[in-house]
Amino acid sequence: MNTTPILLAWSGGKDCLLALERLRAEPHWQVVALLTTVNRTYGRIAMHGVRRDILRAQARALGLALLEVEMDWPGSNEAYESAHENVLAQARMRWPGIRHCAFGDLFLEDVRDYRVRQLGRAGWRTLFPLWGEDTAALSRRFVGEGHRAVLCCVDTQQLDADYCGRAYDGALLDRLPAGVDPCGERGEFHTLSYGGPLFARELALRRGESVLRDGRFQFTDFLLDEALG
């Protein structure tokens, strides 16, 4: 059977990891690379604040190429879209004929519509493997299948800062307040995936400091402990 190459938008967290799992279960698709927006000023994944060396270690452990959309901070949406389109053009040169990119979005229609429009302008098609799934069931499946993740960022207007840095596991899901989506789809929290059935080896992470930024977002830094790898 012929396979169709596809990129996967990668934030480093649990939802994109589940999207990768879903795509790999479909013989039609061949995920060839992860596509990640990186804050060039600080060398971290945009929004999640995860260090670049951890991002690259994730790609190696998943056996995938990595395409980095580098952005200066602060940056405009126009600059982001231009940088994103340039990297997509590079992907087409590397994998001739590629024209699909998948996302791990779950139910925010405005986000999905933006992605469809953005990639459509560059002649790409979008795919949302997890779209519309029940997030309570999805979160429990993530934990039950042995995937490993930690909370790396919390929006303190939606969830207590104390959750940042914790393991994303059954105990955390049991304690989440009512109204907080168990997958954090409304931006309540972001995660960092570091092990489980898709990883060739579990990443050795060491927890660093936690800081509050912009008076709202609590970030917990994680470091790649190569001595333990």
Side-chain angles (χ1 to χ4, degrees), residues 53-114:
D53 62 341
I54 294 178
L55 165 65
R56 292 176 174 174
Q58 285 179 321
R60 291 193 298 271
L62 294 169
L64 291 168
L66 175 65
L67 303 176
E68 299 180 25
V69 180
E70 292 192 318
M71 288 288 300
D72 293 320
W73 186 91
S76 66
N77 192 60
E78 290 76 12
Y80 159 72
E81 292 185 351
S82 176
H84 196 270
E85 189 167 336
N86 286 339
V87 173
L88 290 179
Q90 294 171 25
R92 279 191 161 174
M93 293 180 62
R94 184 169 177 179
W95 296 282
I98 192 170
R99 63 182 66 243
H100 291 86
C101 184
F103 296 86
D105 298 298
L106 298 167
F107 60 73
L108 295 179
E109 293 187 4
D110 57 337
V111 174
R112 173 176 175 153
D113 291 347
Y114 170 75

Side-chain angles (χ1 to χ4, degrees), residues 177-197:
V180 172
D181 184 78
C183 285
E185 180 69 351
R186 298 184 183 90
E188 297 98 329
F189 59 85
H190 298 295
T191 55
L192 161 61
S193 295
Y194 65 92

Side-chain angles (χ1 to χ4, degrees), residues 138-148 168-171 173:
L138 200 62
S139 62
R140 294 291 179 176
R141 196 179 85 218
F142 180 90
V143 172
E145 291 180 351
H147 300 290
R148 307 291 300 278
Y168 185 81
D169 56 16
L173 293 174

Side-chain angles (χ1 to χ4, degrees), residues 20-216:
L20 175 61
E21 180 182 57
R22 183 66 54 82
L23 289 168
R24 284 183 166 175
E26 294 286 344
H28 175 72
W29 299 109
Q30 180 189 5
V31 180
V32 296
L34 307 176
L35 177 68
T36 305
T37 301
V38 175
N39 183 320
R40 178 165 42 203
T41 307
Y42 297 103
R44 295 175 182 264
I45 298 176
M47 295 298 295
H48 288 216
V50 172
R51 293 172 179 261
R52 194 198 299 254
D53 62 341
I54 294 178
L55 165 65
R56 292 176 174 174
Q58 285 179 321
R60 291 193 298 271
L62 294 169
L64 291 168
L66 175 65
L67 303 176
E68 299 180 25
V69 180
E70 292 192 318
M71 288 288 300
D72 293 320
W73 186 91
S76 66
N77 192 60
E78 290 76 12
Y80 159 72
E81 292 185 351
S82 176
H84 196 270
E85 189 167 336
N86 286 339
V87 173
L88 290 179
Q90 294 171 25
R92 279 191 161 174
M93 293 180 62
R94 184 169 177 179
W95 296 282
I98 192 170
R99 63 182 66 243
H100 291 86
C101 184
F103 296 86
D105 298 298
L106 298 167
F107 60 73
L108 295 179
E109 293 187 4
D110 57 337
V111 174
R112 173 176 175 153
D113 291 347
Y114 170 75
R115 301 198 197 285
V116 171
R117 291 195 306 271
Q118 179 195 4
L119 272 76
R121 288 194 295 268
W124 284 67
R125 300 170 185 169
T126 53
L127 187 71
F128 300 87
L130 307 177
W131 186 257
E133 294 205 14
D134 179 86
T135 54
L138 200 62
S139 62
R140 294 291 179 176
R141 196 179 85 218
F142 180 90
V143 172
E145 291 180 351
H147 300 290
R148 307 291 300 278
V150 289
L151 271 63
C152 56
C153 176
V154 165
D155 179 355
T156 62
Q157 292 186 5
Q158 303 188 73
L159 186 63
D160 193 285
D162 182 58
Y163 279 84
C164 200
R166 293 187 189 181
Y168 185 81
D169 56 16
L172 181 137
L173 293 174
D174 290 340
R175 292 190 57 190
L176 284 178
V180 172
D181 184 78
C183 285
E185 180 69 351
R186 298 184 183 90
E188 297 98 329
F189 59 85
H190 298 295
T191 55
L192 161 61
S193 295
Y194 65 92
L198 272 64
F199 282 75
R201 58 194 174 281
E202 184 172 300
L203 305 188
L205 300 182
R206 176 163 47 88
R207 180 172 174 169
E209 66 175 346
S210 290
V211 297
L212 183 68
R213 301 195 183 280
D214 301 323
R216 176 175 179 176

